[in-house]
Amino acid sequence: MENAPSSDEPDTTDLPSTDKPQTAAKKPAAKAEGDKPPAKAKKEKAPAVEDKPFAEFIQQDYLPALQTALTKQGVKDLEVSLTKQKLPVAGMSSAGDCWQVIGKFQEGQRQFNLYFPQENIQSQRAFSCAENNTKTSTLEPFLIDERKVTLDLMVFGVVQRLNAQKWLNLN
């Protein structure tokens, strides 16, 4: 029994250790309701690029992103622009002006249009394409099942549609 304390030494087995921080034996009294610590300030999220004014979003964010995505898909001479003009669809010339993203490539032989009847990417959208300088004959809905349209989704939608048309080199 070497570990047993000698009779002339005090028994220290029930004393707290000095090399570890002690936990409080007593709980502090409940604070009064007015003494609550202030809530952490929420970090303000930067507004989404899609929340910019329509023309600013299209010019500054969408057109460059679309240009980059289509270049990665092998399109070499893409020209994209935003304009407000009549629909270039057969039988639709009597409709009013509409915002359009117009893309042309292969020396202008292939053209696609993304239509926005209202100045809002979240409202109705349509798509058309034409080849060899022909007049567009079909106006298709574009991303109609999406709850919230984002920059990436709009770019993906055009790339997917042009790929379905077999217009991209990576088919």
Side-chain angles (χ1 to χ4, degrees), residues 66 73 93 129 166:
L66 184 61
Q73 294 291 323
S93 58
C129 55
K166 305 288 187 204

Side-chain angles (χ1 to χ4, degrees), residues 94-164:
S94 62
D97 287 351
C98 175
W99 284 104
Q100 300 174 43
V101 170
I102 301 172
K104 295 180 181 184
F105 60 102
Q106 284 194 346
E107 298 176 4
Q109 293 300 304
R110 291 184 172 168
Q111 177 178 326
F112 64 89
N113 292 42
L114 182 55
Y115 305 97
F116 299 92
Q118 300 169 5
E119 267 187 71
N120 182 352
I121 64 167
Q122 302 300 336
S123 67
Q124 294 180 334
R125 297 161 303 280
F127 182 88
S128 70
C129 55
E131 201 166 12
N132 300 323
N133 294 320
T134 60
K135 195 158 191 148
T136 301
S137 61
T138 305
L139 189 64
E140 306 169 12
F142 183 74
L143 301 176
I144 60 171
D145 293 335
E146 305 303 324
R147 283 185 159 179
K148 181 166 179 158
V149 175
T150 63
L151 172 64
D152 292 339
L153 187 58
M154 286 176 58
V155 170
F156 173 75
V158 169
V159 170
Q160 183 181 28
R161 182 60 189 86
L162 295 177
N163 194 34

Side-chain angles (χ1 to χ4, degrees), residues 17-78:
S17 168
T18 57
D19 50 342
K20 291 184 182 176
Q22 296 181 13
T23 57
K26 295 181 181 179
K27 292 184 179 178
K31 293 183 176 181
E33 281 192 39
D35 293 345
K36 289 182 180 179
K40 291 183 180 179
K42 291 184 179 180
K43 290 184 179 178
E44 300 241 352
K45 278 187 175 180
V49 294
E50 295 86 2
D51 294 336
K52 288 182 179 179
F54 176 79
E56 185 178 321
F57 165 74
I58 297 293
Q59 294 285 359
Q60 294 177 0
D61 300 299
Y62 182 64
L63 295 182
L66 184 61
Q67 181 95 36
T68 300
L70 290 175
T71 299
K72 285 181 183 176
Q73 294 291 323
V75 176
K76 299 194 183 325
D77 62 341
L78 178 67

